[in-house]
Amino acid sequence: MKSLFNPASRIQDKLYFDEFGGVNPAITDSATYTFMDPETMTETFLGHTEGCFLYSRHWNPSNKLLADSLAEMEDTEAAWVTASGMAAITCAILQCCKSGDHIITSVTTYGGTFAFLHNYLPRFNIEVSFVDITDHKSVINHIKSNTRLIYTESITNPLLQVSDIGALSAIAKEKGILLMVDNTFSPMIISPARLGADIVVYSLTKFINGHNDCIAGAICGSADFINALSNVNDGTAMLLGPVLDPMRSTSILKNMHTLHIRMKQHSHNAMQVAKAFKEMGLKVRYPGLPEHPQYKLLTSMMNAEYGYSGMLAIELPSVELANELMRIMQLEKVGYLAVSLGYFKTLFSNSGRSTSSEVPVEIQRKMGLVEGLVRFSIGLDDDIDRTIERIKECLIRLKII
Ligand code: PLP
C-alpha cells in the first residue's frame, strides 16, 4: 500500500507574509543583526531567544525559510541548509561521531562521500566499514560496540541499488545506532525519515534546485540534532561554518515549488528511456524496471506519483566505447557530457572515471561498477521519443546495437 504522504502539498501549504506583502519572501542579505538591548544579545548567544537572529553563519531568515520547507517535505522537526551537499554530509557525520567511533556505510555512495569516509575520517580515528547495504546480514555482522552510525543513500550513486530504510532503521534502533540517509537521488519519491532514518542529508545542487546554477546542501532531523549542529559552543555546522548564501537559498526555495512537477517528468522520461534500452538489448540499471533487484522494495517504500526518479545507467563493454558514445550523444544534442544530475537537460558521464573515480578500481569492480558504465540523469525533454531516437542512432553508429 502506497503512503498517502504528500510532500508537495506540504510545501504548497507554506505561505509567506513578509513586511511588504511580496509573494516571494524578502531576501535577508545581512551578515549581522541589531539588538535593541545588550541583554537580549547575551540571551540569544545562550540560545534562549526563539526567533531572534544573531549572525548569518548561525542562522539567516532566508535560510530558515528554506530549511523549514525542507523539514516540511521530509516530515522532520527541523533542518539546516549548507553551502554544498558535501558540507551537509561531512558536518552531519562529524556531529554524530567522535574519535574512537565506528561507522558502517554502503560501499556504493557518491565518490566524494566515499573519499571522506575512506581517506579523511581515519585521520580522526574514526573507523569505517564498507558493506553491500542490501546484504543486511553483513550490516549486522559488522556492528561493534563502538558503532555509532549506519550511512547509506536511498538510491545509491552510481549503481542505483535501493536501500531498505525500514529494515536498516530496525537494525540500527535495536542497537542504539543512528541511521543517516542521503536522499539526493529521490526527493519526494522517498521520505527516509518517515521510514525510520534519524538524519536525512541532501545535495540540493541536484533535483531539488534543478537548475544547475548553484551548489547547496541540507541536513534534516530532530530539533535537538539541528540545534546541536548550530550550537555556538560545539555545533559542527556553526564552527566549521559552511553557510549557504541567502541569495541562493531564496532561489532554491522558489525552485522547490516546482519540484513535484519536475520529479514526475524526470521519472516519466527515464522510464521511457530505460524501457527503450531494454528493448534494444542493452544492460540497463533502472529501479523502475521490474527486473531491478529492488524494484518491489522501492515500489513499497515510495510516495505515490513521483515515479522511480530520473537516474539510470547502462553497462557497455569498455570505457573507450562509453567515451565514444558520450562524445557523439552530445554532438547529436541528446544532452551534455557532464557530471552532476537532476538538471532540466539530460546529463551523462562515465562514473568510474568521474564521480566515482575516488573509489579505487579494485573496489569499483568488487561492488559491480564496470568500466563502461554510463550514468544518465534524464532531463525534462518534452518529446522523449525524439531523444530516444537520437540515442538509438548513436548506438547504431557505434555498432553497440
Ligand atoms: N550526494 C550525492 C548522492 C551526490 O551525487 C553528490 C554530488 O554529486 C553529493 C552528495 C555532493 O553534493 P555537492 O556536490 O552539492 O557537494
Side-chain angles (χ1 to χ4, degrees):
M1 204 5 220
K2 280 179 182 164
S3 150
L4 295 176
F5 180 70
N6 189 325
S9 297
R10 289 172 66 102
I11 295 170
Q12 187 191 328
D13 283 351
K14 278 193 86 64
L15 302 182
Y16 318 103
F17 296 98
D18 76 7
E19 207 180 347
F20 303 107
V23 290
N24 289 312
I27 303 170
T28 307
D29 65 341
S30 287
T32 193
Y33 302 83
T34 53
F35 288 87
M36 298 320 279
D37 54 74
E39 290 77 16
T40 316
M41 180 185 269
T42 308
E43 285 297 302
T44 305
F45 261 94
L46 294 171
H48 298 162
T49 48
E50 176 77 34
C52 278
F53 291 89
L54 184 67
Y55 185 60
S56 278
R57 173 158 47 78
H58 182 240
W59 270 113
N60 169 290
S62 302
N63 290 5
K64 179 89 171 72
L65 290 176
L66 175 60
D68 288 350
S69 273
L70 287 159
E72 279 300 324
M73 179 173 93
E74 291 306 310
D75 200 13
T76 55
E77 287 174 354
W80 209 78
V81 291
T82 55
S84 70
M86 280 312 294
I89 293 164
T90 55
C91 284
I93 291 177
L94 290 173
Q95 185 66 29
C96 295
C97 299
K98 59 178 185 329
S99 169
D101 283 347
H102 171 240
I103 299 173
I104 298 172
T105 178
S106 166
V107 65
T108 314
T109 58
Y110 162 60
T113 308
F114 178 91
F116 178 70
L117 293 164
H118 191 263
N119 309 336
Y120 199 87
L121 284 185
R123 288 199 217 168
F124 298 93
N125 190 32
I126 297 172
E127 191 199 345
V128 185
S129 300
F130 296 83
V131 300
D132 172 353
I133 206 70
T134 62
D135 180 352
H136 297 162
K137 276 205 187 108
S138 169
V139 174
I140 293 167
N141 288 341
H142 280 85
I143 295 177
K144 305 199 283 187
S145 58
N146 60 340
T147 306
R148 178 78 184 119
L149 182 70
I150 298 177
Y151 184 90
T152 193
E153 294 174 353
S154 333
I155 302 181
T156 66
N157 184 0
L159 292 184
L160 308 172
Q161 285 175 310
V162 180
S163 299
D164 188 338
I165 297 169
L168 291 169
S169 157
I171 294 169
K173 286 212 164 52
E174 202 196 312
K175 303 277 183 192
I177 299 169
L178 294 169
L179 175 65
M180 190 181 298
V181 176
D182 179 339
N183 199 38
T184 298
F185 275 26
S186 43
M188 292 196 166
I189 297 169
I190 300 177
S191 301
R194 292 178 61 84
L195 298 168
D198 299 287
I199 300 142
V200 184
V201 286
Y202 273 107
S203 168
L204 301 181
T205 315
K206 313 291 161 42
F207 287 107
I208 293 185
N209 184 50
H211 292 71
N212 244 310
D213 52 4
C214 73
I215 301 282
I219 305 167
C220 308
S222 68
D224 282 350
F225 186 73
I226 299 302
N227 284 338
L229 264 173
S230 55
N231 185 294
V232 294
N233 293 305
D234 58 7
T236 314
M238 178 63 184
L239 298 180
L240 298 189
V243 70
L244 180 59
D245 187 288
M247 308 277 182
R248 280 307 180 188
S249 60
T250 306
S251 66
I252 298 169
L253 179 61
K254 281 182 279 209
N255 292 338
M256 269 188 82
H257 287 268
T258 57
L259 178 60
H260 59 294
I261 303 171
R262 291 186 279 110
M263 287 317 292
K264 288 177 196 176
Q265 185 73 5
H266 281 299
S267 294
H268 167 80
N269 284 352
M271 181 67 96
Q272 301 312 111
V273 176
K275 283 183 181 164
F277 281 160
K278 192 173 108 179
E279 271 168 31
M280 292 173 205
L282 293 175
K283 196 157 179 222
V284 51
R285 287 176 182 261
Y286 184 61
L289 292 179
E291 48 271 63
H292 186 282
Q294 289 97 35
Y295 166 76
K296 281 203 180 114
L297 169 68
L298 178 51
T299 308
S300 71
M301 288 201 311
M302 60 205 259
N303 296 315
E305 289 183 27
Y306 306 103
Y308 291 84
S309 190
M311 303 302 297
L312 59 88
I314 53 170
E315 294 183 9
L316 299 178
S318 69
V319 68
E320 291 75 21
L321 206 50
N323 285 347
E324 202 43 44
L325 177 66
M326 294 190 298
R327 204 185 327 271
I328 65 171
M329 283 196 302
Q330 179 161 255
L331 292 173
E332 294 306 324
K333 302 188 175 71
V334 171
Y336 290 122
L337 165 55
V339 296
S340 204
L341 55 117
Y343 184 41
F344 46 76
K345 281 183 187 280
T346 295
L347 303 177
F348 36 84
S349 56
N350 171 243
S351 300
R353 302 276 174 104
S354 59
T355 51
S356 293
S357 59
E358 298 90 340
V359 182
V361 173
E362 55 291 0
I363 301 182
Q364 290 190 18
R365 296 298 166 269
K366 212 169 142 209
M367 70 162 116
L369 172 49
V370 299
E371 67 161 26
L373 184 130
V374 179
R375 190 194 73 180
F376 288 79
S377 167
I378 302 295
L380 302 175
D381 311 26
D382 182 46
D383 184 354
I384 195 64
D385 291 336
R386 187 180 76 134
T387 308
I388 291 170
E389 266 318 301
R390 287 178 175 177
I391 302 175
K392 195 172 175 186
E393 278 164 26
C394 297
L395 290 162
I396 291 171
R397 216 194 308 164
L398 295 179
K399 300 190 172 45
I400 296 172
I401 55 170

